Amino acid sequence: ILLPVLCSPLRAVAWIERHGMSGATMQSEFELWTAAPYRYRLVRVSGSESGGQARYTAIFEKSTKTTAWTASHGMTAAECISTHNTLHASGYRIVWLDGFGVDSTAYYNAIWEHTSGSSQRLRLGETLSAHQSADATNNAAGYYLTDVCSFSVNGTPLHAGIWAVARSSPVEVRYSLSSAAYQTEFNSMGA
């Protein structure tokens, strides 16, 4: 099913959304929608656990971007860091990061684009205190948090983050908020 999503009052972007896929189905859908005649870009991929198995949700979008890109799903932390380091050395920057747990293992999904930009650092599967310590260390070195994802593995909250050398605007991060506390922070920051 092809569904239009309004990105602005002037144009609609065609996109495809898939839910509850196994890793093999995710790969098949990726191969289908990113190849001719569609040539869509994967813009989001998220993982979750269902019945002890990894399941994926993905959004593919018709895009006018011409930059090279690549994506991978279901990576262990070691695979994700290795892939990121190799791609980053070739001019790719991570633009989407998702973490999720299946049983006692953390897995990651990521999308990279070949773009000019500053250096990035990636940290995966950390407790909140380790993540916040990494944030302070990275800030002192001139790197600022550009993306964070939080998830749990066997009930243990974990965090993954991307830091980049430059940022365009101030960033405020809050962790472990209840729904009410989130709404309060949202209202405060919005004002």
Side-chain angles (χ1 to χ4, degrees):
I1 298 174
L2 186 64
L3 301 171
V5 176
L6 291 178
C7 292
S8 75
L10 302 177
R11 72 178 186 110
V13 174
W15 55 277
I16 302 297
E17 181 177 339
R18 296 290 184 256
H19 301 271
M21 298 178 289
S22 67
T25 301
M26 171 64 200
Q27 188 62 42
S28 294
E29 291 290 311
F30 179 87
E31 291 168 6
L32 170 68
W33 294 110
T34 60
Y38 305 107
R39 299 193 195 287
Y40 283 26
R41 285 176 90 100
L42 180 66
V43 293
R44 297 289 183 265
V45 57
S46 297
S48 63
E49 182 273 334
S50 178
Q53 300 293 314
R55 292 288 180 245
Y56 299 92
T57 296
I59 300 174
F60 300 88
E61 176 180 282
K62 193 69 170 172
S63 176
T64 58
K65 287 183 178 180
T66 58
T67 56
W69 66 279
T70 188
S72 192
H73 66 277
M75 297 175 285
T76 63
E79 291 168 337
C80 187
I81 289 170
S82 175
T83 301
H84 173 72
N85 290 343
T86 300
L87 290 170
H88 196 61
S90 298
Y92 286 81
R93 296 174 45 81
I94 194 166
V95 296
W96 175 257
L97 177 64
D98 171 67
F100 67 103
V102 176
D103 294 325
S104 61
T105 305
Y107 292 98
Y108 300 90
N109 307 311
I111 302 170
W112 292 266
E113 289 183 357
H114 195 274
T115 61
S116 59
S118 61
S119 179
Q120 290 181 313
R121 291 181 175 176
L122 176 65
R123 302 279 300 239
L124 304 175
E126 298 183 308
T127 64
L128 181 56
S129 62
H131 173 76
Q132 289 174 320
S133 177
D135 187 50
T137 300
N138 281 319
N139 286 180
Y143 287 78
Y144 299 94
L145 190 64
T146 60
D147 194 10
V148 63
C149 70
S150 300
F151 58 100
S152 67
V153 174
N154 279 341
T156 301
L158 297 175
H159 307 275
I162 305 165
W163 288 263
V165 170
R167 64 178 176 187
S168 58
S169 60
V171 174
E172 292 284 335
V173 182
R174 302 291 186 269
Y175 299 93
S176 303
L177 300 176
S178 67
S179 177
Y182 172 82
Q183 189 62 54
T184 299
E185 286 294 322
F186 178 85
N187 294 343
S188 174
M189 294 292 172

